[in-house]
Amino acid sequence: MIRLDETIRVPAQIDRAFAYLAKWEHIAEWDPGVTSADKQFDGPPKVGGTYALDYSFNGRSMPMTYTITDLHHPHRLVLTGEAKQLSAVDTITLKSDGDGTEIRYVADLTFRGVTRLFEGFLKSRLKRIGREAVEGLATALGAEPA
């Protein structure tokens, strides 16, 4: 398993930051590895709601299905992702920080099948991609680029 763990501070108030993150279809706006994200349910974000994502990694497209498994407005959002060779648990916690919000983003990635053999080689690259995604999120929520 590879764990990506990043914390950022954004000027957006906690309610705005949470509302943006809970609409997981926005991930394609801030995560450079996501080429598309489509909501697969009606209404507002809810536990059990699913999203169809398409990731690009090493020039290859990888479809994933993400499901909201925990949603506690405005402090916690957990999604699980499933793909052929990978499962992910993304846990996002938000804490009001005076005039902004501190966001901690933890992604636990578990590889399956033959892909597990390459986990060690993928770790540094995935950590870099995770940092780029969180930097994109910070920019999307109004923070100055690092």
Side-chain angles (χ1 to χ4, degrees):
M1 180 181 79
I2 296 174
R3 172 168 275 196
L4 309 176
D5 190 343
E6 298 286 336
T7 301
I8 57 169
R9 187 191 176 286
V10 298
Q13 293 297 308
I14 193 168
D15 285 326
R16 179 174 167 260
F18 185 87
Y20 182 79
L21 282 163
K23 293 181 179 176
W24 200 239
E25 62 267 30
H26 289 303
I27 191 172
E29 297 171 6
W30 52 268
D31 187 331
V34 178
T35 57
S36 67
D38 297 309
K39 182 177 162 186
Q40 304 291 299
F41 61 95
D42 293 325
K46 60 188 173 192
V47 171
T50 60
Y51 297 85
L53 273 65
D54 191 41
Y55 277 92
S56 178
F57 187 73
N58 284 336
R60 303 178 92 187
S61 178
M62 179 175 63
M64 285 189 82
T65 300
Y66 266 89
T67 304
I68 298 174
T69 55
D70 193 11
L71 182 76
H72 290 284
H73 181 272
H75 298 286
R76 182 175 162 87
L77 174 66
V78 181
L79 299 106
T80 57
E82 293 295 330
K84 183 177 180 182
Q85 299 293 329
L86 169 71
S87 64
V89 177
D90 292 26
T91 303
I92 305 165
T93 53
L94 297 88
K95 181 170 56 171
S96 186
D97 183 13
D99 59 347
T101 304
E102 180 182 278
I103 301 172
R104 182 176 181 207
Y105 192 115
V106 177
D108 291 319
L109 309 172
T110 304
F111 293 91
R112 292 191 284 265
V114 72
T115 308
R116 281 188 344 197
L117 301 174
F118 301 101
E119 191 172 290
F121 297 107
L122 297 172
K123 188 173 185 173
S124 64
R125 180 141 189 230
L126 289 169
K127 286 191 177 275
R128 181 179 49 81
I129 291 169
R131 275 190 303 277
E132 289 173 359
V134 170
E135 289 168 5
L137 175 60
T139 301
L141 289 171
E144 294 294 321

